[in-house]
Amino acid sequence: AEPYLSYSFIRVSNAEYIKEANKKILVDSWEFGSQEDAFGVFSKDRTGTDINLGNGSALFNNYLYLWNDTYCIRIEPREGDVTSEDVISAGKSIINIIPYKKVSLPSLLSLLPQQHLVQESPMFFHKKIILDNIYISDNYIEENVFHLSEKTDAVIAEYRPNTSSESFKLMLIRYPDNDTARLVFDDVLKLWRSWGEIESMSGAIHTFQGKAQRYTSCLLERNILGMTFLSINKGDAEMLLQSIAHNMSK
């Protein structure tokens, strides 16, 4: 539950539904202070197939994750032979009693280049506790070098240049102002340099080559820090950051 509290958590409600005498379904409904944060929790947990229910959905076997307005809902089997149809039926019943509202994805996601993006991979968050559970470096990052807080918006997503290649990650962080972003950028460069990685520059992009022959690239554009992690191809990583700069100039 602690990662959920890093969003604008309001309350959580739990209910147990008896589908039949030998079937029980557990429903957890989390309410947040904004649609964006409800999406953030959904994006953190979702796995499986979108079944076009609510504002967002993901079905994995007999587990169903839903995003609807300011709610993130998890439906899972508790007892008995609960099927995917059972949890879908429960999900539809819940969505039907929540008034429909048109929602928008967090604006930061609009900066993500669509080419080579692994669909359903973008994860929206604010604080370090979320990033702590995501692999971005062979080196342990103990301190909050990215200065993540409730005042920052962040998204991390996976990209795969072609179906046979390994994916790598892109992270964008939006800070309250340009000065804060510049301070973070300087701290990031200082940390990566302390690891003795090979540094090169391409325009305003700094790229570091680690011992495992993978690349980390970073770019500062006004109050947004863009970084790529674990790329096996330097050009792919830098091209992605160049696309970010292009999207911001529109």
Side-chain angles (χ1 to χ4, degrees), residues 78-129:
R78 189 62 177 267
E79 287 183 14
D81 186 21
V82 176
T83 66
S84 59
E85 289 76 15
D86 292 331
V87 295
I88 291 172
S89 176
K92 288 180 177 178
S93 298
I94 294 168
I95 294 299
N96 286 339
I97 63 175
I98 301 177
Y100 173 77
K101 286 186 179 180
K102 185 177 180 180
V103 298
S104 299
L105 294 174
S107 60
L108 189 61
L109 272 69
S110 66
L111 296 178
L112 293 175
Q114 294 303 301
Q115 187 176 20
H116 306 313
L117 173 66
V118 177
Q119 295 302 313
E120 311 303 329
S121 71
M123 183 187 303
F124 178 74
F125 62 101
H126 301 288
K127 296 184 177 180
K128 180 178 180 289
I129 189 172

Side-chain angles (χ1 to χ4, degrees), residues 32-79:
F32 297 89
S34 68
Q35 297 171 343
E36 291 82 1
D37 279 5
F39 167 77
V41 172
F42 170 72
S43 70
K44 182 185 76 67
D45 287 344
R46 65 181 165 188
T47 182
T49 304
D50 184 1
I51 59 171
N52 297 314
L53 185 60
N55 297 126
S57 59
L59 176 68
F60 181 73
N61 294 331
N62 54 356
Y63 288 76
L64 179 61
Y65 302 87
L66 298 172
W67 165 46
N68 207 66
D69 191 22
T70 57
Y71 296 90
C72 182
I73 302 161
R74 182 177 62 208
I75 305 172
E76 60 185 54
R78 189 62 177 267
E79 287 183 14

Side-chain angles (χ1 to χ4, degrees), residues 54-228:
N55 297 126
S57 59
L59 176 68
F60 181 73
N61 294 331
N62 54 356
Y63 288 76
L64 179 61
Y65 302 87
L66 298 172
W67 165 46
N68 207 66
D69 191 22
T70 57
Y71 296 90
C72 182
I73 302 161
R74 182 177 62 208
I75 305 172
E76 60 185 54
R78 189 62 177 267
E79 287 183 14
D81 186 21
V82 176
T83 66
S84 59
E85 289 76 15
D86 292 331
V87 295
I88 291 172
S89 176
K92 288 180 177 178
S93 298
I94 294 168
I95 294 299
N96 286 339
I97 63 175
I98 301 177
Y100 173 77
K101 286 186 179 180
K102 185 177 180 180
V103 298
S104 299
L105 294 174
S107 60
L108 189 61
L109 272 69
S110 66
L111 296 178
L112 293 175
Q114 294 303 301
Q115 187 176 20
H116 306 313
L117 173 66
V118 177
Q119 295 302 313
E120 311 303 329
S121 71
M123 183 187 303
F124 178 74
F125 62 101
H126 301 288
K127 296 184 177 180
K128 180 178 180 289
I129 189 172
I130 303 298
L131 191 61
D132 283 344
N133 294 297
I134 301 172
Y135 173 51
I136 60 172
S137 172
D138 290 331
N139 296 291
Y140 180 61
I141 304 174
E142 183 175 4
E143 70 267 34
N144 187 12
V145 66
F146 300 111
H147 297 220
L148 292 165
S149 73
E150 64 278 353
K151 295 181 180 180
T152 54
D153 289 342
V155 61
I156 191 163
E158 290 190 22
Y159 283 79
R160 182 173 284 112
N162 56 70
T163 55
S164 62
S165 65
E166 293 184 36
S167 64
F168 63 99
K169 294 181 175 70
L170 166 69
M171 181 173 70
L172 301 178
I173 306 175
R174 180 167 56 207
Y175 296 93
D177 54 72
N178 293 6
D179 290 341
T180 302
R182 169 56 65 178
L183 175 66
V184 175
F185 185 69
D186 291 342
D187 284 350
V188 167
L189 294 181
K190 181 179 178 181
L191 177 62
W192 256 261
R193 286 167 179 162
S194 73
W195 294 333
E197 297 190 352
I198 301 171
E199 182 179 2
S200 61
M201 289 189 66
S202 176
I205 299 174
H206 292 251
T207 297
F208 295 87
Q209 182 181 1
K211 295 178 181 179
Q213 306 302 310
R214 294 178 183 269
Y215 296 92
T216 300
S217 297
C218 49
L219 172 68
L220 180 66
E221 283 287 324
R222 300 196 294 275
N223 67 327
I224 292 182
L225 172 67
M227 294 193 67
T228 58

